[in-house]
Amino acid sequence: MSRSGSSERIVFLRRRIAALEAGGAPAPVPASRDEGLSRLFDPGRGGLREALPARPTDAAAAAGFAFALALRRLRLRPQGGIVWIAEDMAARELGLPYGRGLQAAGLPPELLVLARTHRPRETLWAMEEALKSGAAVVIAESWADAGAYDLAASRRLALAARRGDCAGLLLLPRAAGAAQRLASAAEARFEIAAGAPPPRAEGAPRPLPGPLAFRLRVVKARGLVGAFDPQVWRDIVFDHQEAEFHEWPFHALPRRVPAAPVDRPVRAQKRTHAR
Amino acid sequence: MFLPRLSTDRFARKNAPTPDEAEAPFAVWAKLGGAERLTAVDARAEKAGLAPGMAVADARAMRPALRLAEADPRADAELLGRIADWCRRFTPLAAADPPNGLLLDISGAAHLFGGEAALLAEVERRLAAQGFAARGAIAPGPALALALARFSRRRHVAEGTTAEELEAIAAGLPIAALDLDPAARQRLDRAGLRSLGDLLARPRAPLTARLGAEAMARLDAIACRRREPISPRFEAPDFMAERRFPEGLTRQEDIERTLHSLARELCLLLERHGVGARELEAVFYRVDGAVAHIETGTSRPLRDPGTIALLLRERLAVLAEEGLDTGYGYDVLRLGAGRVERCDAPQADLGLAGRENAHDARLDDLVDRLGARLGPRRVLRAYPQASHIPELAVALRPASGSAPAAAEAAPPPYLREGVPARPLRLFERPEPIEAVALTPDGPPLRFRWRRLLHELAAYEGPERIAPQWWSAPEDAATRDYFYVEDREGGRFWLFREGLFGRESPSPRWFVHGLF
């Protein structure tokens, strides 16, 4: 076979594979940008998604994003709940999901099942089982490195998600900053950083923190070829009452200033007045 | 069953003696009341005139070649427990009777082994093959059987024996069968009472006054005047399926397949009774006497062979990871439902409610499966509690257990419209930070957490949470919580422990959660 013949053949095979993976659906077409974002967060699509923090300090934000995505899926397609798989190492570094906080963010506590694992292997096994059962939206946070979470492992998870028609979100805090280099069979991969803090005017007191915001880069989105520039950061805000993401330039958010505490000790209050 | 040489057999099994050692008598000793005395002797030592209770020095003087080992009652008890486990291959009801007896309830099980006598011979033969001297007896009452095994040549008392005949048999036993303390035994000996028959023939009241009610209860039990229950090591499961093989199974796939077919049998049984299993127990008997147990709980009554087999496979996989030692193979596999609950046949309803139920059932199955592999204590559900202390406001309990009574919990607080006042993640233990604050009760300007400096960009607070005065220890301090955002956008939930000047001269700062 000639050289050009073999490359043609590879292109042909790739198309066949893409068609097979899409379940016989027509080949994916490039989507426009706005449509892309809404389709990206479309809860109807199951599959495996990965959230990686941009820096190690963004791990909590990435977890928050994964939770927001799971909540959106759960709100629009009711299922048994959220199965949250937390590895011991991740729990040590980031803490455990907190029922009251999740409740405040819109998840009734009875819908949460928390599974704790010791090792990345256990985490991946538990995630595969949970995805296969199709009983719930699955969030897993694993301290796995590239050795434990490789192409084969991600392929297993992706197939399990498809079998169970289930959405799985895998959080890899240890792979901070490696989103562009990771090779996996995931449906989509997000690189997450914490949203920028509200700006502070010169001489003004410190503002109040805003709603939950993320900076997001779509590194990979299967089926949405060309819709996203993997180099571009976008600011998004999660509205947990509507369970919706909004792309929102940050300066448009309302700003407020914290009130002085009312029950301060008398001495401290006097000092404030004197100033 | 009576194992007269349990202690010495244990040593002989553990380290096989060299040929010239094997000729020497062997005994086990312990310190009793300040003196070193023999507690058990092997057959050769007994023939040489040694007996338990003898001082070690005397025994040495009599037999210089005597080999000695220190007694380990705990190891003996453990071994006896393991033997009792092994005996459950003959009948589900087996109990250990320390220090050296075993009780097997063989009613309804003997015909499987070709009759009672054949069963007894089989048990003795198998125990002997494993290196235990054993003497058994079969009788309608457990106490009588034990006493016969220990003190009589009579091996078999048939089920239909009349009360008079039973008493006659008991009458032939020596006083020692009562297991009295030495002083009481001596008193009876002086009075010329040598056998139980002497006691049975006498009026009860004076005997009770002398020996105590306990000894009389024992006497009644031996004479089968009173039925004594056996308290088995493991409750016999209500529903059970079992398979025996002429040769041991060694391959894991074979074991799994057998479990699956056992599960099918068990589910048929369960279905006939309209119940589902809440606790499952699989027991594997190895050819060489080792017994492996697998237990697993379920969060809803189960009656589906596939699900049961899957659950057991997870547990088996955990065992296999630790190294399931199939050795020469397992020849008896048994699957039982320890606890059952009423379980009605599912309705073939395809409505919306049915679908939701299906989701719940699938989630329950998933919880079981995860629990089987990770351990039931690692799969949790969050239950809100009526407490304003953040770490007490939610209790994490095993998801497979039943839900605790719902506590009247307040709705979670919000800072303002749309901004929750509680973090998404909470550290199991608040982590101390170094913080610099401008005012004693103000927020920190900057703080250092895990060697990283965070500069404050926005904050809200304080939210003051006082300790629960009715239950907290004396030195519990008030906490002032701050919702803090740093320049990088990281969101933290910090608190200062102790009010400055009032509760603590230098309050400490902690990070408790992340948003």
Side-chain angles (χ1 to χ4, degrees), chain B residues 432-445:
Chain B
I433 51 174
E434 298 163 30
V436 180
L438 209 57
T439 52
D441 56 347
L445 271 183

Side-chain angles (χ1 to χ4, degrees), chain A residues 55 98 104 114 116 141 209, chain B residues 378 380 390 414 416 425 488:
Chain A
R55 297 158 299 183
Y98 180 46
L114 178 67
R116 303 198 54 182
E141 22 190 67
Chain B
R378 308 276 292 174
L380 309 159
Y414 289 86
R416 52 184 187 276
R425 322 187 60 99
E488 309 277 301

Side-chain angles (χ1 to χ4, degrees), chain A residues 55 57-58 60-61 63-64 67 78-81 83-84 88 90-106 109-119 121-122 125-126 129-130 133-136 141 164 171 194-198 200 206-213 240-241 250 256 258-259 261 263-265 268 271 275, chain B residues 310 314 321 359-360 362-363 366-367 369-370 373-374 378-385 387 389-394 396 399 409-414 416-428 431 438-441 445 449-450 452 454-462 464 483-491 493 500-502 514-515:
Chain A
R55 297 158 299 183
T57 47
D58 291 325
F67 170 68
Q79 251 178 326
V83 172
W84 199 314
D88 283 347
R92 253 198 302 281
E93 292 290 316
L94 300 173
L96 280 177
Y98 180 46
R100 291 294 263 182
L102 301 183
Q103 191 182 3
E110 64 270 16
L111 291 187
L112 176 74
V113 172
L114 178 67
R116 303 198 54 182
T117 55
H118 290 296
R119 289 180 295 277
R121 258 186 66 193
E122 269 182 12
W125 170 84
E129 282 297 313
S133 80
E141 22 190 67
L171 190 71
R200 177 187 180 190
R206 287 193 172 74
L208 293 173
L212 219 49
H240 52 73
Q241 272 156 349
F250 224 95
R256 282 187 223 173
D263 61 339
R264 300 170 70 180
R271 204 177 315 149
R275 251 195 301 171
Chain B
L310 217 57
E314 295 312 340
E321 249 168 47
H359 265 310
D360 285 349
R362 271 194 290 176
L363 191 59
L366 176 65
V367 163
R369 214 147 56 233
L370 294 179
R373 180 78 160 251
L374 307 173
R378 308 276 292 174
V379 184
L380 309 159
R381 270 182 194 276
Y383 297 100
Q385 303 288 309
S387 170
I389 305 288
E391 59 267 34
L392 303 180
V394 174
L396 289 173
Y414 289 86
R416 52 184 187 276
E417 181 73 26
V419 182
R422 293 288 176 265
L424 292 177
R425 322 187 60 99
L426 200 73
F427 287 103
E428 287 179 281
E431 301 202 349
L438 209 57
T439 52
D441 56 347
L445 271 183
W449 177 48
R450 290 181 182 162
L452 220 60
H454 301 267
E455 292 269 350
L456 206 69
Y459 81 95
E460 182 147 354
R464 181 158 294 175
Y483 181 158
V484 158
E485 198 171 343
D486 74 0
R487 289 236 170 111
E488 309 277 301
R491 288 147 192 265
W493 206 39
F500 188 82
R502 262 195 280 172
L514 303 172
F515 288 87

Side-chain angles (χ1 to χ4, degrees), chain B residues 429-450 454 456 459-464 477-484 492-500 504-513:
Chain B
R429 199 160 291 176
E431 301 202 349
I433 51 174
E434 298 163 30
V436 180
L438 209 57
T439 52
D441 56 347
L445 271 183
R446 60 182 71 89
F447 62 92
R448 191 180 287 279
W449 177 48
R450 290 181 182 162
H454 301 267
L456 206 69
Y459 81 95
E460 182 147 354
E463 179 189 350
R464 181 158 294 175
T478 311
R479 296 175 184 175
D480 275 349
Y481 277 92
F482 290 89
Y483 181 158
V484 158
F492 305 89
W493 206 39
L494 311 180
F495 71 88
R496 188 187 54 231
E497 194 180 52
L499 297 176
F500 188 82
S504 159
S506 54
R508 294 194 302 157
W509 284 88
F510 295 89
V511 54
H512 203 177

